[in-house]
Amino acid sequence: MKDKKNKSRYGTGTLTFRKDGFFTSMETEGNYQKKDKILKMKYPEPDTVVMNISYLNKNYLLLSTGKNSKTWFYRKK
């Protein structure tokens, strides 16, 4: 097995989901909705970000977008 290095140009961050329907990402708060494998995240900006939940278990979350194939990987602390 090989360790995967973080090659992201954006670095690392924390994404926190609360049970009241709000989330925090990189010191920005918004609200979210999850239905099946779709996660909609509404930031303070006017647009809603729609993400595909590619993988989810109790320790990991992998999100992706269909537009330009970007992915975001999160690990539970």
Side-chain angles (χ1 to χ4, degrees):
M1 295 184 115
K2 182 178 177 184
D3 262 351
K4 183 176 182 206
K5 302 286 183 196
N6 182 359
K7 296 180 183 177
S8 171
R9 66 179 136 171
Y10 302 109
T12 60
T14 302
L15 182 61
T16 305
F17 293 98
R18 298 192 323 240
K19 291 182 181 182
D20 64 358
F22 284 88
F23 71 93
T24 305
S25 173
M26 305 201 44
E27 299 178 11
T28 303
E29 188 174 273
N31 60 350
Y32 73 93
Q33 294 178 323
K34 179 190 172 290
K35 184 174 182 182
D36 298 321
K37 294 266 186 180
I38 303 294
L39 177 65
K40 293 182 180 181
M41 300 168 65
K42 176 75 172 157
Y43 287 87
E45 295 87 35
D47 293 332
T48 298
V49 178
V50 178
M51 309 287 274
N52 296 314
I53 300 172
S54 299
Y55 182 79
L56 173 66
N57 74 13
K58 67 179 186 172
N59 294 312
Y60 300 101
L61 170 63
L62 181 64
L63 299 173
S64 62
T65 60
K67 294 179 184 177
N68 43 15
S69 300
K70 291 183 180 179
T71 60
W72 290 265
F73 174 74
Y74 296 94
R75 181 178 62 224
K76 185 177 181 179
K77 280 190 164 187

